Amino acid sequence: MESHETKYSNSVEEDYDINQDQAAVTRRIQRLSLHLNPISEPPVSSDRLQLLTCAGRAKINVSDEQLAKYLRGKHRDIQERVYEYFNAKPDLQTPLEISKDEHRELCMRQLVGLVREAGIRPFKYVVEDPVKYFAVVEAVGSVDMSLGIKLGVQYSLWGGSVLNLGTKKHKDKYFEGIDNMDYPGCFAMTELHHGSNVQGLQTIATFDPLRDEFIIDTPNDGAIKWWIGNAAVHGKFATVFAKLMLPTHDTKGVSDMGVHAFIVPIRDMKTHEVLPGIEIHDCGHKVGLNGVDNGALKFRSVRIPRDNLLNRFGDVSRDGKYTSSLPSINKRFAATLGELVGGRVGLAYSSVGVLKIAVTIAVRYSLLRQQFGPPKQPEISILDYQSQQHKLMPMLASTYAFHFATSYLVEKYAEMKKSRDEELVSDVHTLSAGLKAYVTSYTAKSLSTCREACGGHGYAAVNRFGSLRNDHDIFQTFEGDNTVLLQQVAVYLLKQYKEKFQGGTLTVTWNYLRESMNTYLSQPNPVTSRWEGEDHLRNPNFQLDAFRYRTSRLLQSVAFRLRKHSKTLGGFGAWNRCLNHLLTLAESHIESVILAKFIEAVRSCPDVSSRAALKLVCDLYALDRIWNDIGTYRNVDYVAPNKAKAIHKLTEYLSFQVKNIAKELVDGFELPDHVTRAPIGMQAAEEAYSQYAQCSGF
Ligand SMILES: Cc1cc2nc3c(=O)[nH]c(=O)nc-3n(C[C@H](O)[C@H](O)[C@H](O)COP(=O)(O)OP(=O)(O)OC[C@H]3O[C@@H](n4cnc5c(N)ncnc54)[C@H](O)[C@@H]3O)c2cc1C
């Protein structure tokens, strides 16, 4: 067994020696009391202060250009076109202070300019190359998140519903208008009383065989379509989700065929007046994303031609007969929702884009900012404080991890769109739900941490954290609430678990469960649970094994609990009794997938120094996650006390090492200053303070 003491002699974990710890605490108190009351400074010998600063340690040599080359997606060129277009157009840049109404108009002009003037055609990319489309979504979102969402409403939601739920006649009729922004549209699913529970929505579409039309109605105020993007001001059409009612010859009069989607014109094409029978109100000023005009829609006997039913999964003939290739309402509903995962993929991907901006600003500022330091010596950079490293370095590592995981997701999504392979559909559905939930929750929390890490200057609106936080916050809720989405991941895991025990096969993403189930259901190995050497802890096999062990155990135990509780509480009650357990399981699985993708990305990196840097970052990601959940590992003796301690020490050491290349790591994201747009986060650190002071008129 290796001794970590020999490994880390002269490294930061020496601080963990209790005496040293106490000395460090005393020194900090002395420094702080000096700050508060300069007269009371006691003499402190300089040799005792050496451990305070981290500067000067050996660091990996890494080139940000090589890193950027490896990270860069194949559509970097189109992202640069987006950035340059807006950079050259001051009138299209969103000012810091802007009213809701002005922001909405600006956002519309930005979108129209992008499509008609800059020649970016997102709808074409949706069809021909979804990876390119997501690259545009990410770039546009970093210009103004409202613009990213408005673009997503137009092309992923309104356009996506026509493409994926309609048939050729719909594409022929609407494609061009959607593409060139002649037909701005909405996606009207959510109602006042029903958001996550889409199957509970109440808007109805009744077929009238006499006039060959559907009649759209809002039967009560709870069914008013709510939060509908593009509805309050700009939309001309809406894809309205409603229960399809067909006349029957029995006593019931109508038969409910389940939720279907219908194209409903909502404003006149020429005058832009709201059409008869439709009432539209504004959802008003929001916490963020005020460039998007969310509105509420109420329908009173609004007639639309039969052709406006988006009929890919179910159709109604001239004489009112219903046909579908799918046998039940539930199957049709699942197929309908399954086609809409593109929006979720876009949100996960863009959320990483937001995280990159926030981490870049926070890291650059933390390198620049100096506070305190040993007596009579220069002040030190705040990133030299262990606490600042602890706040930001695992976050920087996670940003890299998410970059590779969401890049994988968009590639898989594009592959699925081509092949329509059933296994791939199920994988992408679950992966997009899990990554959207996991990444957007992480980013939302990190935005607050980044603001706080930048102190008071982080609170200045010009330094971006406020708008990033407010605009991004809702990413956790729309396109599927995160808590609800994680449950979908848990459902799939349980399905896989059941199939495993019934002799079925497992799809690619879940393959690890096959081995895990066999290996991990036994007790942890008492010998390996004590291994604490650096080589072992930094071995990807150990790290992946730990992640997967946790998932497998959680899966096995929750399956057991569900079986037990369903006998007394029924299926719904048992699920609710185990809900937190199920959510932890889903997160654990997603973390396993993220780590696996990161490890693959490290292995595939062709440049030696970039590979070494990525390995360091990947190790930090893995060990920080394990440390955060150390209680679980300790509870089942997967990790013995000595190993837990070694993991903690190594995590702090890796944070410190990553800090040494933090500048190169954020430069690797290739975010120009006109995209980060925060004076304190400028690439040329020497100009940051003066640029910032200029914003206040100096
Ligand atoms: C700015 C904005 C833009 C939007 N744009 C659109 C749009 O263009 N078109 C559209 O159709 N919709 C849109 N929406 C609506 C959005 O999709 C819904 O808000 C979202 O689906 C969540 O539904 P809800 O608000 O009803 O939340 P609820 O479902 O009421 O959830 C509230 C809370 O209850 C919890 N909860 C709910 N169900 C469960 C459960 N089963 N288990 C555990 N916890 C649960 C959730 O976790 C959440 O914390 C938009 C919303 C906003 C705010």
Side-chain angles (χ1 to χ4, degrees), residues 540-568:
N541 292 338
F542 157 69
Q543 296 163 357
L544 256 185
D545 208 61
F547 277 51
R548 290 171 170 183
Y549 176 85
R550 184 181 47 159
T551 311
S552 305
R553 239 194 132 102
L554 284 162
L555 179 53
Q556 193 219 8
S557 52
V558 85
F560 174 81
R561 287 184 63 210
L562 282 171
R563 216 173 309 130
K564 185 179 101 185
H565 289 304
S566 48
K567 288 183 195 137
T568 48

PDB file of all heavy atoms in Angstrom, residues 540-568:
ATOM      1  N   PRO A 540      -8.814   6.135 -13.649  1.00  0.00           N
ATOM      2  CA  PRO A 540     -10.204   6.259 -14.113  1.00  0.00           C
ATOM      3  C   PRO A 540     -11.045   5.030 -13.775  1.00  0.00           C
ATOM      4  O   PRO A 540     -12.266   5.146 -13.586  1.00  0.00           O
ATOM      5  CB  PRO A 540     -10.095   6.440 -15.623  1.00  0.00           C
ATOM      6  CG  PRO A 540      -8.667   6.515 -15.947  1.00  0.00           C
ATOM      7  CD  PRO A 540      -7.834   6.330 -14.714  1.00  0.00           C
ATOM      8  N   ASN A 541     -10.392   3.864 -13.694  1.00  0.00           N
ATOM      9  CA  ASN A 541     -11.175   2.660 -13.366  1.00  0.00           C
ATOM     10  C   ASN A 541     -11.757   2.768 -11.968  1.00  0.00           C
ATOM     11  O   ASN A 541     -12.914   2.426 -11.737  1.00  0.00           O
ATOM     12  CB  ASN A 541     -10.309   1.400 -13.443  1.00  0.00           C
ATOM     13  CG  ASN A 541      -9.914   1.118 -14.862  1.00  0.00           C
ATOM     14  OD1 ASN A 541     -10.576   1.580 -15.798  1.00  0.00           O
ATOM     15  ND2 ASN A 541      -8.810   0.401 -15.038  1.00  0.00           N
ATOM     16  N   PHE A 542     -10.928   3.247 -11.029  1.00  0.00           N
ATOM     17  CA  PHE A 542     -11.450   3.415  -9.668  1.00  0.00           C
ATOM     18  C   PHE A 542     -12.590   4.443  -9.664  1.00  0.00           C
ATOM     19  O   PHE A 542     -13.646   4.236  -9.064  1.00  0.00           O
ATOM     20  CB  PHE A 542     -10.341   3.860  -8.702  1.00  0.00           C
ATOM     21  CG  PHE A 542     -10.891   4.568  -7.492  1.00  0.00           C
ATOM     22  CD1 PHE A 542     -11.636   3.861  -6.537  1.00  0.00           C
ATOM     23  CD2 PHE A 542     -10.746   5.948  -7.324  1.00  0.00           C
ATOM     24  CE1 PHE A 542     -12.193   4.522  -5.433  1.00  0.00           C
ATOM     25  CE2 PHE A 542     -11.301   6.600  -6.228  1.00  0.00           C
ATOM     26  CZ  PHE A 542     -12.022   5.884  -5.282  1.00  0.00           C
ATOM     27  N   GLN A 543     -12.367   5.559 -10.354  1.00  0.00           N
ATOM     28  CA  GLN A 543     -13.356   6.645 -10.314  1.00  0.00           C
ATOM     29  C   GLN A 543     -14.690   6.195 -10.917  1.00  0.00           C
ATOM     30  O   GLN A 543     -15.757   6.364 -10.314  1.00  0.00           O
ATOM     31  CB  GLN A 543     -12.815   7.863 -11.073  1.00  0.00           C
ATOM     32  CG  GLN A 543     -11.566   8.460 -10.427  1.00  0.00           C
ATOM     33  CD  GLN A 543     -10.786   9.374 -11.354  1.00  0.00           C
ATOM     34  OE1 GLN A 543     -11.135   9.547 -12.521  1.00  0.00           O
ATOM     35  NE2 GLN A 543      -9.698   9.951 -10.855  1.00  0.00           N
ATOM     36  N   LEU A 544     -14.611   5.585 -12.096  1.00  0.00           N
ATOM     37  CA  LEU A 544     -15.847   5.130 -12.744  1.00  0.00           C
ATOM     38  C   LEU A 544     -16.533   4.064 -11.903  1.00  0.00           C
ATOM     39  O   LEU A 544     -17.764   4.038 -11.758  1.00  0.00           O
ATOM     40  CB  LEU A 544     -15.516   4.543 -14.106  1.00  0.00           C
ATOM     41  CG  LEU A 544     -15.839   5.408 -15.327  1.00  0.00           C
ATOM     42  CD1 LEU A 544     -15.564   4.626 -16.588  1.00  0.00           C
ATOM     43  CD2 LEU A 544     -17.266   5.916 -15.319  1.00  0.00           C
ATOM     44  N   ASP A 545     -15.710   3.192 -11.362  1.00  0.00           N
ATOM     45  CA  ASP A 545     -16.222   2.120 -10.529  1.00  0.00           C
ATOM     46  C   ASP A 545     -17.011   2.688  -9.341  1.00  0.00           C
ATOM     47  O   ASP A 545     -18.096   2.215  -9.016  1.00  0.00           O
ATOM     48  CB  ASP A 545     -15.022   1.325 -10.002  1.00  0.00           C
ATOM     49  CG  ASP A 545     -15.392  -0.098  -9.734  1.00  0.00           C
ATOM     50  OD1 ASP A 545     -15.786  -0.763 -10.702  1.00  0.00           O
ATOM     51  OD2 ASP A 545     -15.297  -0.525  -8.560  1.00  0.00           O
ATOM     52  N   ALA A 546     -16.448   3.735  -8.747  1.00  0.00           N
ATOM     53  CA  ALA A 546     -17.114   4.348  -7.589  1.00  0.00           C
ATOM     54  C   ALA A 546     -18.456   4.947  -7.997  1.00  0.00           C
ATOM     55  O   ALA A 546     -19.479   4.746  -7.324  1.00  0.00           O
ATOM     56  CB  ALA A 546     -16.212   5.425  -6.982  1.00  0.00           C
ATOM     57  N   PHE A 547     -18.473   5.661  -9.111  1.00  0.00           N
ATOM     58  CA  PHE A 547     -19.729   6.285  -9.572  1.00  0.00           C
ATOM     59  C   PHE A 547     -20.776   5.206  -9.860  1.00  0.00           C
ATOM     60  O   PHE A 547     -21.940   5.314  -9.513  1.00  0.00           O
ATOM     61  CB  PHE A 547     -19.478   7.087 -10.855  1.00  0.00           C
ATOM     62  CG  PHE A 547     -18.950   8.484 -10.638  1.00  0.00           C
ATOM     63  CD1 PHE A 547     -17.853   8.731  -9.823  1.00  0.00           C
ATOM     64  CD2 PHE A 547     -19.536   9.573 -11.270  1.00  0.00           C
ATOM     65  CE1 PHE A 547     -17.351  10.021  -9.639  1.00  0.00           C
ATOM     66  CE2 PHE A 547     -19.047  10.860 -11.096  1.00  0.00           C
ATOM     67  CZ  PHE A 547     -17.957  11.088 -10.289  1.00  0.00           C
ATOM     68  N   ARG A 548     -20.319   4.169 -10.526  1.00  0.00           N
ATOM     69  CA  ARG A 548     -21.259   3.143 -10.975  1.00  0.00           C
ATOM     70  C   ARG A 548     -21.721   2.264  -9.821  1.00  0.00           C
ATOM     71  O   ARG A 548     -22.860   1.787  -9.806  1.00  0.00           O
ATOM     72  CB  ARG A 548     -20.610   2.308 -12.086  1.00  0.00           C
ATOM     73  CG  ARG A 548     -20.460   3.135 -13.337  1.00  0.00           C
ATOM     74  CD  ARG A 548     -19.645   2.471 -14.404  1.00  0.00           C
ATOM     75  NE  ARG A 548     -19.745   3.232 -15.634  1.00  0.00           N
ATOM     76  CZ  ARG A 548     -19.180   2.872 -16.770  1.00  0.00           C
ATOM     77  NH1 ARG A 548     -18.472   1.761 -16.832  1.00  0.00           N
ATOM     78  NH2 ARG A 548     -19.330   3.607 -17.855  1.00  0.00           N
ATOM     79  N   TYR A 549     -20.836   2.061  -8.909  1.00  0.00           N
ATOM     80  CA  TYR A 549     -21.210   1.291  -7.721  1.00  0.00           C
ATOM     81  C   TYR A 549     -22.382   1.980  -7.021  1.00  0.00           C
ATOM     82  O   TYR A 549     -23.377   1.363  -6.661  1.00  0.00           O
ATOM     83  CB  TYR A 549     -20.019   1.208  -6.767  1.00  0.00           C
ATOM     84  CG  TYR A 549     -20.353   0.520  -5.465  1.00  0.00           C
ATOM     85  CD1 TYR A 549     -20.305  -0.868  -5.378  1.00  0.00           C
ATOM     86  CD2 TYR A 549     -20.753   1.252  -4.351  1.00  0.00           C
ATOM     87  CE1 TYR A 549     -20.644  -1.497  -4.198  1.00  0.00           C
ATOM     88  CE2 TYR A 549     -21.092   0.628  -3.169  1.00  0.00           C
ATOM     89  CZ  TYR A 549     -21.038  -0.753  -3.100  1.00  0.00           C
ATOM     90  OH  TYR A 549     -21.382  -1.385  -1.936  1.00  0.00           O
ATOM     91  N   ARG A 550     -22.236   3.322  -6.870  1.00  0.00           N
ATOM     92  CA  ARG A 550     -23.272   4.091  -6.182  1.00  0.00           C
ATOM     93  C   ARG A 550     -24.600   3.977  -6.947  1.00  0.00           C
ATOM     94  O   ARG A 550     -25.653   3.730  -6.354  1.00  0.00           O
ATOM     95  CB  ARG A 550     -22.817   5.550  -6.115  1.00  0.00           C
ATOM     96  CG  ARG A 550     -23.725   6.457  -5.349  1.00  0.00           C
ATOM     97  CD  ARG A 550     -23.186   7.866  -5.362  1.00  0.00           C
ATOM     98  NE  ARG A 550     -22.792   8.282  -6.709  1.00  0.00           N
ATOM     99  CZ  ARG A 550     -22.661   9.535  -7.103  1.00  0.00           C
ATOM    100  NH1 ARG A 550     -22.865  10.506  -6.262  1.00  0.00           N
ATOM    101  NH2 ARG A 550     -22.302   9.830  -8.328  1.00  0.00           N
ATOM    102  N   THR A 551     -24.562   4.125  -8.265  1.00  0.00           N
ATOM    103  CA  THR A 551     -25.793   4.047  -9.050  1.00  0.00           C
ATOM    104  C   THR A 551     -26.430   2.666  -8.893  1.00  0.00           C
ATOM    105  O   THR A 551     -27.641   2.541  -8.676  1.00  0.00           O
ATOM    106  CB  THR A 551     -25.508   4.303 -10.550  1.00  0.00           C
ATOM    107  OG1 THR A 551     -24.717   5.470 -10.660  1.00  0.00           O
ATOM    108  CG2 THR A 551     -26.781   4.483 -11.339  1.00  0.00           C
ATOM    109  N   SER A 552     -25.608   1.641  -9.017  1.00  0.00           N
ATOM    110  CA  SER A 552     -26.143   0.280  -8.958  1.00  0.00           C
ATOM    111  C   SER A 552     -26.769  -0.003  -7.598  1.00  0.00           C
ATOM    112  O   SER A 552     -27.830  -0.624  -7.492  1.00  0.00           O
ATOM    113  CB  SER A 552     -25.042  -0.737  -9.234  1.00  0.00           C
ATOM    114  OG  SER A 552     -24.444  -0.442 -10.456  1.00  0.00           O
ATOM    115  N   ARG A 553     -26.116   0.459  -6.567  1.00  0.00           N
ATOM    116  CA  ARG A 553     -26.654   0.238  -5.221  1.00  0.00           C
ATOM    117  C   ARG A 553     -27.956   0.979  -5.016  1.00  0.00           C
ATOM    118  O   ARG A 553     -28.919   0.455  -4.459  1.00  0.00           O
ATOM    119  CB  ARG A 553     -25.625   0.713  -4.192  1.00  0.00           C
ATOM    120  CG  ARG A 553     -25.225  -0.425  -3.292  1.00  0.00           C
ATOM    121  CD  ARG A 553     -24.494  -0.051  -2.079  1.00  0.00           C
ATOM    122  NE  ARG A 553     -25.135  -0.763  -0.968  1.00  0.00           N
ATOM    123  CZ  ARG A 553     -24.652  -1.846  -0.406  1.00  0.00           C
ATOM    124  NH1 ARG A 553     -23.545  -2.386  -0.837  1.00  0.00           N
ATOM    125  NH2 ARG A 553     -25.282  -2.405   0.602  1.00  0.00           N
ATOM    126  N   LEU A 554     -27.963   2.225  -5.476  1.00  0.00           N
ATOM    127  CA  LEU A 554     -29.192   3.021  -5.342  1.00  0.00           C
ATOM    128  C   LEU A 554     -30.326   2.372  -6.125  1.00  0.00           C
ATOM    129  O   LEU A 554     -31.477   2.325  -5.678  1.00  0.00           O
ATOM    130  CB  LEU A 554     -28.961   4.444  -5.868  1.00  0.00           C
ATOM    131  CG  LEU A 554     -28.152   5.388  -4.965  1.00  0.00           C
ATOM    132  CD1 LEU A 554     -27.627   6.586  -5.755  1.00  0.00           C
ATOM    133  CD2 LEU A 554     -29.009   5.868  -3.792  1.00  0.00           C
ATOM    134  N   LEU A 555     -29.984   1.856  -7.287  1.00  0.00           N
ATOM    135  CA  LEU A 555     -31.001   1.240  -8.139  1.00  0.00           C
ATOM    136  C   LEU A 555     -31.564  -0.012  -7.480  1.00  0.00           C
ATOM    137  O   LEU A 555     -32.780  -0.226  -7.407  1.00  0.00           O
ATOM    138  CB  LEU A 555     -30.375   0.908  -9.505  1.00  0.00           C
ATOM    139  CG  LEU A 555     -31.246   0.244 -10.551  1.00  0.00           C
ATOM    140  CD1 LEU A 555     -32.533   1.010 -10.793  1.00  0.00           C
ATOM    141  CD2 LEU A 555     -30.500   0.110 -11.878  1.00  0.00           C
ATOM    142  N   GLN A 556     -30.654  -0.818  -6.981  1.00  0.00           N
ATOM    143  CA  GLN A 556     -31.099  -2.063  -6.367  1.00  0.00           C
ATOM    144  C   GLN A 556     -31.949  -1.774  -5.119  1.00  0.00           C
ATOM    145  O   GLN A 556     -33.015  -2.359  -4.923  1.00  0.00           O
ATOM    146  CB  GLN A 556     -29.886  -2.902  -5.990  1.00  0.00           C
ATOM    147  CG  GLN A 556     -30.251  -4.317  -5.649  1.00  0.00           C
ATOM    148  CD  GLN A 556     -29.425  -4.821  -4.473  1.00  0.00           C
ATOM    149  OE1 GLN A 556     -28.684  -4.063  -3.823  1.00  0.00           O
ATOM    150  NE2 GLN A 556     -29.557  -6.095  -4.190  1.00  0.00           N
ATOM    151  N   SER A 557     -31.498  -0.825  -4.306  1.00  0.00           N
ATOM    152  CA  SER A 557     -32.217  -0.581  -3.057  1.00  0.00           C
ATOM    153  C   SER A 557     -33.565   0.088  -3.303  1.00  0.00           C
ATOM    154  O   SER A 557     -34.556  -0.209  -2.629  1.00  0.00           O
ATOM    155  CB  SER A 557     -31.362   0.228  -2.079  1.00  0.00           C
ATOM    156  OG  SER A 557     -30.883   1.390  -2.705  1.00  0.00           O
ATOM    157  N   VAL A 558     -33.630   0.974  -4.304  1.00  0.00           N
ATOM    158  CA  VAL A 558     -34.923   1.629  -4.537  1.00  0.00           C
ATOM    159  C   VAL A 558     -35.916   0.644  -5.165  1.00  0.00           C
ATOM    160  O   VAL A 558     -37.116   0.693  -4.873  1.00  0.00           O
ATOM    161  CB  VAL A 558     -34.765   2.931  -5.379  1.00  0.00           C
ATOM    162  CG1 VAL A 558     -34.744   2.684  -6.869  1.00  0.00           C
ATOM    163  CG2 VAL A 558     -35.882   3.914  -5.023  1.00  0.00           C
ATOM    164  N   ALA A 559     -35.398  -0.257  -5.996  1.00  0.00           N
ATOM    165  CA  ALA A 559     -36.299  -1.267  -6.577  1.00  0.00           C
ATOM    166  C   ALA A 559     -36.901  -2.118  -5.458  1.00  0.00           C
ATOM    167  O   ALA A 559     -38.106  -2.420  -5.445  1.00  0.00           O
ATOM    168  CB  ALA A 559     -35.525  -2.138  -7.572  1.00  0.00           C
ATOM    169  N   PHE A 560     -36.075  -2.469  -4.511  1.00  0.00           N
ATOM    170  CA  PHE A 560     -36.536  -3.267  -3.374  1.00  0.00           C
ATOM    171  C   PHE A 560     -37.588  -2.487  -2.563  1.00  0.00           C
ATOM    172  O   PHE A 560     -38.648  -2.998  -2.227  1.00  0.00           O
ATOM    173  CB  PHE A 560     -35.322  -3.623  -2.493  1.00  0.00           C
ATOM    174  CG  PHE A 560     -35.698  -4.315  -1.218  1.00  0.00           C
ATOM    175  CD1 PHE A 560     -35.964  -5.680  -1.204  1.00  0.00           C
ATOM    176  CD2 PHE A 560     -35.811  -3.595  -0.027  1.00  0.00           C
ATOM    177  CE1 PHE A 560     -36.335  -6.312  -0.019  1.00  0.00           C
ATOM    178  CE2 PHE A 560     -36.176  -4.209   1.155  1.00  0.00           C
ATOM    179  CZ  PHE A 560     -36.441  -5.580   1.164  1.00  0.00           C
ATOM    180  N   ARG A 561     -37.294  -1.224  -2.291  1.00  0.00           N
ATOM    181  CA  ARG A 561     -38.228  -0.417  -1.491  1.00  0.00           C
ATOM    182  C   ARG A 561     -39.552  -0.207  -2.225  1.00  0.00           C
ATOM    183  O   ARG A 561     -40.626  -0.242  -1.626  1.00  0.00           O
ATOM    184  CB  ARG A 561     -37.596   0.951  -1.167  1.00  0.00           C
ATOM    185  CG  ARG A 561     -36.494   0.888  -0.126  1.00  0.00           C
ATOM    186  CD  ARG A 561     -36.013   2.290   0.199  1.00  0.00           C
ATOM    187  NE  ARG A 561     -37.063   3.105   0.788  1.00  0.00           N
ATOM    188  CZ  ARG A 561     -37.162   4.421   0.659  1.00  0.00           C
ATOM    189  NH1 ARG A 561     -36.273   5.078  -0.043  1.00  0.00           N
ATOM    190  NH2 ARG A 561     -38.142   5.079   1.231  1.00  0.00           N
ATOM    191  N   LEU A 562     -39.474   0.019  -3.515  1.00  0.00           N
ATOM    192  CA  LEU A 562     -40.712   0.239  -4.286  1.00  0.00           C
ATOM    193  C   LEU A 562     -41.604  -0.991  -4.208  1.00  0.00           C
ATOM    194  O   LEU A 562     -42.825  -0.903  -4.026  1.00  0.00           O
ATOM    195  CB  LEU A 562     -40.379   0.551  -5.753  1.00  0.00           C
ATOM    196  CG  LEU A 562     -39.896   1.972  -6.055  1.00  0.00           C
ATOM    197  CD1 LEU A 562     -39.392   2.074  -7.487  1.00  0.00           C
ATOM    198  CD2 LEU A 562     -41.015   2.998  -5.835  1.00  0.00           C
ATOM    199  N   ARG A 563     -40.958  -2.163  -4.366  1.00  0.00           N
ATOM    200  CA  ARG A 563     -41.725  -3.420  -4.320  1.00  0.00           C
ATOM    201  C   ARG A 563     -42.393  -3.551  -2.955  1.00  0.00           C
ATOM    202  O   ARG A 563     -43.580  -3.864  -2.854  1.00  0.00           O
ATOM    203  CB  ARG A 563     -40.787  -4.599  -4.584  1.00  0.00           C
ATOM    204  CG  ARG A 563     -41.451  -5.712  -5.384  1.00  0.00           C
ATOM    205  CD  ARG A 563     -40.473  -6.811  -5.788  1.00  0.00           C
ATOM    206  NE  ARG A 563     -39.279  -6.310  -6.438  1.00  0.00           N
ATOM    207  CZ  ARG A 563     -38.038  -6.652  -6.087  1.00  0.00           C
ATOM    208  NH1 ARG A 563     -37.810  -7.481  -5.093  1.00  0.00           N
ATOM    209  NH2 ARG A 563     -36.997  -6.174  -6.728  1.00  0.00           N
ATOM    210  N   LYS A 564     -41.616  -3.271  -1.928  1.00  0.00           N
ATOM    211  CA  LYS A 564     -42.142  -3.416  -0.565  1.00  0.00           C
ATOM    212  C   LYS A 564     -43.327  -2.455  -0.329  1.00  0.00           C
ATOM    213  O   LYS A 564     -44.389  -2.857   0.118  1.00  0.00           O
ATOM    214  CB  LYS A 564     -41.007  -3.117   0.436  1.00  0.00           C
ATOM    215  CG  LYS A 564     -41.389  -3.353   1.883  1.00  0.00           C
ATOM    216  CD  LYS A 564     -40.233  -3.060   2.821  1.00  0.00           C
ATOM    217  CE  LYS A 564     -40.437  -1.694   3.452  1.00  0.00           C
ATOM    218  NZ  LYS A 564     -39.360  -1.233   4.280  1.00  0.00           N
ATOM    219  N   HIS A 565     -43.137  -1.182  -0.658  1.00  0.00           N
ATOM    220  CA  HIS A 565     -44.169  -0.184  -0.338  1.00  0.00           C
ATOM    221  C   HIS A 565     -45.393  -0.299  -1.230  1.00  0.00           C
ATOM    222  O   HIS A 565     -46.489   0.096  -0.829  1.00  0.00           O
ATOM    223  CB  HIS A 565     -43.597   1.238  -0.435  1.00  0.00           C
ATOM    224  CG  HIS A 565     -42.641   1.554   0.674  1.00  0.00           C
ATOM    225  ND1 HIS A 565     -42.988   1.440   2.003  1.00  0.00           N
ATOM    226  CD2 HIS A 565     -41.351   1.984   0.650  1.00  0.00           C
ATOM    227  CE1 HIS A 565     -41.948   1.787   2.751  1.00  0.00           C
ATOM    228  NE2 HIS A 565     -40.946   2.105   1.954  1.00  0.00           N
ATOM    229  N   SER A 566     -45.217  -0.794  -2.455  1.00  0.00           N
ATOM    230  CA  SER A 566     -46.398  -0.810  -3.325  1.00  0.00           C
ATOM    231  C   SER A 566     -47.452  -1.793  -2.810  1.00  0.00           C
ATOM    232  O   SER A 566     -48.630  -1.644  -3.113  1.00  0.00           O
ATOM    233  CB  SER A 566     -46.025  -1.071  -4.779  1.00  0.00           C
ATOM    234  OG  SER A 566     -45.172  -2.142  -4.852  1.00  0.00           O
ATOM    235  N   LYS A 567     -47.018  -2.765  -1.999  1.00  0.00           N
ATOM    236  CA  LYS A 567     -48.009  -3.707  -1.449  1.00  0.00           C
ATOM    237  C   LYS A 567     -49.005  -2.968  -0.557  1.00  0.00           C
ATOM    238  O   LYS A 567     -50.184  -3.279  -0.523  1.00  0.00           O
ATOM    239  CB  LYS A 567     -47.299  -4.785  -0.627  1.00  0.00           C
ATOM    240  CG  LYS A 567     -46.544  -5.748  -1.516  1.00  0.00           C
ATOM    241  CD  LYS A 567     -45.899  -6.863  -0.708  1.00  0.00           C
ATOM    242  CE  LYS A 567     -44.870  -7.577  -1.570  1.00  0.00           C
ATOM    243  NZ  LYS A 567     -43.629  -7.863  -0.883  1.00  0.00           N
ATOM    244  N   THR A 568     -48.547  -1.990   0.189  1.00  0.00           N
ATOM    245  CA  THR A 568     -49.458  -1.279   1.108  1.00  0.00           C
ATOM    246  C   THR A 568     -49.917   0.066   0.555  1.00  0.00           C
ATOM    247  O   THR A 568     -51.036   0.497   0.803  1.00  0.00           O
ATOM    248  CB  THR A 568     -48.744  -1.024   2.463  1.00  0.00           C
ATOM    249  OG1 THR A 568     -47.461  -0.471   2.180  1.00  0.00           O
ATOM    250  CG2 THR A 568     -48.612  -2.297   3.266  1.00  0.00           C
TER     251      THR A 568
END
